[in-house]
Amino acid sequence: MEVQTIIKKFADWEFVNTEKPFLIAGPCSAETEEQVMLSAYELRNAGVEVFRAGIWKPRTRPDSFEGVGSVGLKWLQRVKRETGMLITTEVANVKHVYEALRAGVDILWIGARTTANPFAIQEIADALSGVDIPVFVKNPVNPDVNLWLGAIERLQKAGITRIGAIHRGFSVSEHSIYRNPPSWQIPIELKRRLPDLPLLCDPSHIGGKKELLQSLSQKAMDLNYDGLMIESHPDPDNAWSDAGQQVTAASLKMIIKSLVLRQVNPEGISYDTLEDLRFRIDKYDNELMDILQKRMETAEAIGRYKKQSNMTILQPDRWGEVIENSLEKGRKRGLSDRFTSKIFKAIHEESINKQTAIMNGESGLNGQSNKGK
Ligand code: PEP
Ligand code: MN
């Protein structure tokens, strides 16, 4: 059965009010009972209904704070009992799942490092078999939509019907203003493949700093996300993990209030101009594709020349010249260096692939990427 026929629409999750962006907030880590309770009361008073706190923390380096462990579940239970908020925490293995279920945790989430590991996901899915609990799956650390989709499918096959996704950005080697660059195209593709899948944005882990939270959250709203997961701490500067990206409940409230919520199909407006503009966009996209085709055909001709003359595919000086010229031309046209260099690197990579196929005597019938493993 197709996975999208199983996933329940967000509007069918009994605790979801789709009038406003669904919001999960709370500290990166539960640190002490006092910190958890203070955070929960402040957030509840700011209108938050779902409280998060990490108890088992997957840290990149072993000497960082790795979470308080199971004792934190008692603090979360107290939050639920005293404030009436729903509680959620990250589970990364079967032991976490059993303990969280036993403690009455309302919603589980699976962290980015776990999503990247199909064995771990399968074990979690098996442990959840027959349990009707909502589960959010964060994107895997690596920018691979199939890995994300695969994790969702494993949970779906275990019978979980309330599955959502959380976009928290991806690890990349290039330097960026983001802690985990968003690569928005990946969650957009996930949404295209699973249109009913609730999708939240976690601007805290994408941005890595509080200054980026507002603009990332607004962008998520403009891309039609269903909600947000944001890290909030009563004393962000002294948080035991992810201090730079956490905000107080008061700042969180301001961020949420500042968001402009737009609709996919607002009523009572004329679409004439939008249709017009879209017509133009489609026309330019077609022209772009035609030009790209011509460029690739020319690259193939060069490939045949290089093969005949026993020349290497990569000619470093020439490539340097191409990228420099393009950056210069891009600047004159108001295109950022980042954008131009991304486009030209992608074009160059495709040209190299075409020329490699020619060197290896392949038919030149490519464009086929390495599909599903
Ligand atoms: C977290 O939410 O605190 C966390 C560890 O997230 P991620 O899995 O996205 O790194
Ligand atoms: Mn965190």
Side-chain angles (χ1 to χ4, degrees):
M1 207 174 334
E2 281 292 303
V3 66
Q4 50 264 60
T5 62
I6 305 280
I7 289 177
K8 272 198 195 158
K9 285 206 184 102
F10 213 29
D12 298 337
W13 295 24
E14 71 288 352
F15 52 84
V16 172
N17 171 2
T18 46
E19 299 286 290
K20 47 186 185 181
F22 180 73
L23 177 62
I24 299 177
C28 175
S29 303
E31 298 164 3
T32 64
E33 186 165 3
E34 294 67 37
Q35 170 252 8
V36 166
M37 294 314 298
L38 179 59
S39 176
Y41 276 113
E42 287 182 351
L43 287 167
R44 195 208 48 191
N45 292 339
V48 175
E49 289 162 5
V50 187
F51 183 77
R52 64 150 279 159
I55 281 172
W56 302 286
K57 299 301 299 178
R59 309 309 297 180
T60 307
R61 302 283 301 277
D63 47 1
S64 340
F65 172 58
E66 291 188 303
V68 291
S70 315
V71 65
L73 289 169
K74 293 207 176 60
W75 310 339
L76 286 181
Q77 284 175 314
R78 204 181 140 199
V79 168
K80 183 170 164 166
R81 208 170 47 240
E82 291 184 19
T83 70
M85 294 163 108
L86 297 181
I87 51 173
T88 176
T89 198
E90 171 175 347
V91 289
N93 60 36
V94 172
K95 174 180 166 286
H96 298 165
V97 170
Y98 289 143
E99 288 194 27
L101 292 178
R102 211 174 312 124
V105 170
D106 300 289
I107 302 168
L108 303 177
W109 91 78
I110 293 174
R113 294 159 192 80
T114 310
T115 307
N117 178 353
F119 287 131
I121 292 289
Q122 190 57 56
E123 284 182 10
I124 292 172
D126 292 342
L128 285 171
S129 180
V131 184
D132 185 27
I133 187 167
V135 183
F136 282 100
V137 183
K138 286 202 171 191
N139 66 255
V141 276
N142 34 340
D144 181 347
V145 73
N146 285 314
L147 208 46
W148 201 357
L149 207 54
I152 291 164
E153 282 165 351
R154 285 176 200 279
L155 290 169
Q156 173 266 315
K157 285 193 170 165
I160 315 265
T161 59
R162 286 173 297 173
I163 304 174
I166 302 178
H167 170 217
R168 52 77 80 193
F170 302 89
S171 296
V172 292
S173 56
E174 289 155 36
H175 180 73
S176 160
I177 58 160
Y178 302 107
R179 176 176 175 195
N180 294 294
S183 304
W184 297 100
Q185 287 306 321
I186 296 178
I188 289 172
E189 173 61 13
L190 183 77
K191 195 79 180 151
R192 190 183 70 78
R193 307 260 282 268
L194 299 177
D196 286 343
L197 185 80
L199 177 62
L200 310 187
C201 180
D202 169 352
S204 309
H205 289 91
I206 293 177
K209 33 184 151 352
K210 41 174 112 27
E211 296 73 23
L212 293 174
L213 289 178
Q214 201 282 338
S215 58
L216 284 166
S217 303
Q218 182 62 56
K219 174 138 184 180
M221 292 299 102
D222 286 329
L223 292 177
N224 210 25
Y225 281 50
D226 298 287
L228 300 162
M229 177 191 257
I230 300 186
E231 287 188 341
S232 166
H233 191 287
D235 180 11
D237 292 343
N238 292 306
W240 296 3
S241 59
D242 289 352
Q245 69 194 32
Q246 302 203 59
V247 284
T248 60
S251 311
L252 176 73
K253 191 174 175 180
M254 280 182 30
I255 292 172
I256 301 298
K257 257 180 88 176
S258 78
L259 297 176
V260 183
L261 303 180
R262 302 177 174 97
Q263 291 161 27
V264 179
N265 294 311
E267 278 165 30
I269 60 151
S270 152
Y271 281 94
D272 290 357
T273 45
L274 185 59
E275 260 165 38
D276 231 47
L277 294 169
R278 289 212 170 123
F279 180 80
R280 270 156 67 184
I281 288 276
D282 288 346
K283 177 170 156 288
Y284 295 138
D285 283 350
N286 282 332
E287 288 176 15
L288 265 174
M289 295 310 281
D290 287 342
I291 294 280
L292 285 171
Q293 183 191 355
K294 283 186 201 142
R295 196 196 187 283
M296 289 307 153
E297 283 165 3
T298 313
E300 284 178 327
I302 295 180
R304 287 190 286 276
Y305 180 91
K306 285 177 180 164
K307 186 175 185 180
Q308 264 176 12
S309 351
N310 222 15
M311 270 166 89
T312 56
I313 292 181
L314 183 66
Q315 300 284 313
D317 291 348
R318 169 67 185 153
W319 168 232
E321 202 183 304
V322 169
I323 190 85
E324 277 312 317
N325 285 342
S326 321
L327 289 173
E328 188 57 40
K329 286 179 200 157
R331 282 177 208 130
K332 285 191 187 134
R333 289 164 172 80
L335 306 175
S336 71
D337 281 5
R338 188 178 148 74
F339 174 72
T340 307
S341 112
K342 249 184 162 166
I343 294 272
F344 273 84
K345 280 182 186 159
I347 291 176
H348 189 233
E349 195 179 320
E350 182 72 358
S351 294
I352 289 179
N353 289 345
K354 299 247 182 232
Q355 296 188 355
T356 306
I358 286 168
M359 291 286 178
N360 296 339
E362 291 162 18
S363 67
L365 265 184
N366 29 43
Q368 269 118 314
S369 53
N370 43 337
K371 293 205 194 93
K373 290 159 210 139

